[in-house]
Amino acid sequence: MRRVYLDTVDSTNKWAKEHISELEDKTVVYTYNQTAGRGRLNRTWNNIGTDNIYASVILKPSNRMEEVYSNLTQYLCVVLAETFEEYGVMPKIKWPNDIQINGKKISGILAEGVNDGENLEGLILGVGVNLNSSKEILDQINQPATSLNIEIGEEIDKEDFLKKLTDKFCLLYDKFIEEGFLLIKEGYIKRASFLGKNVSVKVFDKIVEGKAVEITDNGALKIVDKNNKEHTLLIGDIL
Ligand code: BTN
């Protein structure tokens, strides 16, 4: 994967958006000092120190990309989970693309599309990975969070993690574009933390509540509500 390193930046996603026309397919823009990170649901993504990864993967449209567009975050999510597993931890996926260890968030993904008129110019997959932090810093975040060094009791080499992650991403990317979610369905489901549980999902400004019963062949979350009505959600966030 091509790399663009920024010494310090407000947000790698924002920077990538502004430079999208100069960036090639499969480029990662990354920094170790992000000053105004953005998260999903209009949240911020805290700067928890310079030994953590703040990165954006830039993908340019290709043949079948639009068909798997909404699943690309799930692909990155499985790649992230596999990378964490190389360190001996057991990450879980919270639909669609949060990574947690023992119920605490360790990584999140924010996908942003950039359009040129009616056409998609590029997709930006922003990812924050908590690698080296302290309980004191993580306690200041507004949701339970952890970092890899805390989980394994060792300092993590951030360059090494980034290389493992980006190499893994490239390994099956073309196959994923061809085959879509089915390629990773099994790997996604075996790490899913939410199946069989009652969940509340925010879909735009609506909340859907019920039991999470299935992940479909195209990565959607199927929920059965208290009136036995099925909801199949392709986008949203489990709260
Ligand atoms: C989430 O809310 O879980 C998504 C967080 C995504 C954070 C990353 S850090 C790098 C990239 N740049 C941003 O401003 N946000 C994403």
Side-chain angles (χ1 to χ4, degrees):
M1 192 177 285
R2 296 170 191 86
R3 284 173 171 226
V4 176
Y5 170 71
L6 304 170
D7 191 45
T8 173
V9 68
D10 50 0
S11 152
T12 56
N13 267 32
K14 180 165 170 274
W15 192 93
K17 260 188 179 177
E18 289 161 1
H19 294 81
I20 192 84
S21 56
E22 302 137 44
L23 295 165
E24 286 179 59
D25 184 32
K26 286 182 242 168
T27 299
V28 62
V29 175
Y30 68 105
T31 187
Y32 299 123
N33 190 23
Q34 179 172 261
T35 55
R38 309 198 291 218
R40 289 164 71 92
L41 303 171
N42 284 327
R43 291 184 177 134
T44 53
W45 185 258
N46 294 42
N47 183 335
I48 56 160
T50 56
D51 281 321
N52 300 282
I53 293 174
Y54 312 89
S56 298
V57 174
I58 288 83
L59 300 169
K60 293 283 173 102
S62 54
N63 297 347
R64 278 179 35 89
M65 187 193 184
E66 298 216 354
E67 285 162 59
V68 296
Y69 185 82
S70 65
N71 300 123
L72 279 161
T73 57
Q74 291 169 313
Y75 174 69
L76 176 55
C77 197
V78 171
V79 167
L80 265 164
E82 288 175 358
T83 309
F84 280 120
E85 282 160 8
E86 288 191 22
Y87 293 80
V89 292
M90 302 270 281
K92 289 277 177 203
I93 296 173
K94 187 171 124 189
W95 185 86
N97 50 44
D98 272 1
I99 303 267
Q100 299 181 324
I101 294 182
N102 298 324
K104 295 178 181 171
K105 185 152 165 172
I106 192 161
S107 181
I109 298 171
L110 174 67
E112 297 187 83
V114 187
N115 291 313
D116 177 11
E118 294 213 324
N119 301 318
L120 177 72
E121 198 178 353
L123 177 64
I124 299 166
L125 300 182
V127 55
V129 191
N130 300 350
L131 290 184
N132 296 289
S133 195
S134 64
K135 287 210 168 66
E136 291 69 37
I137 291 178
L138 294 170
D139 280 349
Q140 290 163 25
I141 297 180
N142 54 9
Q143 55 182 319
T146 188
S147 62
L148 192 51
N149 67 319
I150 293 177
E151 296 300 323
I152 67 168
E154 254 173 52
E155 198 182 320
I156 312 298
D157 182 329
K158 59 195 178 195
E159 283 288 334
D160 195 44
F161 189 99
L162 186 66
K163 184 169 181 339
K164 283 191 170 83
L165 179 69
T166 50
D167 284 356
K168 221 182 247 303
F169 186 91
C170 290
L171 203 63
L172 290 180
Y173 179 73
D174 292 339
K175 197 164 189 254
F176 180 75
I177 293 289
E178 279 304 310
E179 295 182 18
F181 186 73
L182 269 182
L183 181 72
I184 57 158
K185 184 178 178 190
E186 203 189 310
Y188 188 89
I189 287 177
K190 79 171 185 208
R191 299 178 178 97
S193 61
F194 50 85
L195 286 174
K197 299 201 175 134
N198 285 319
V199 293
S200 300
V201 185
K202 188 169 191 305
V203 187
F204 300 111
D205 50 5
K206 229 177 71 188
I207 305 279
V208 181
E209 285 183 327
K211 190 168 176 183
V213 291
E214 188 189 332
I215 292 290
T216 68
D217 285 354
N218 58 356
L221 172 63
K222 211 179 253 184
I223 289 187
V224 177
D225 71 18
K226 61 176 190 314
N227 302 317
N228 252 345
K229 186 171 172 233
E230 267 191 9
H231 304 257
T232 302
L233 308 174
L234 258 175
I235 45 170
D237 286 272
I238 293 184
L239 297 173

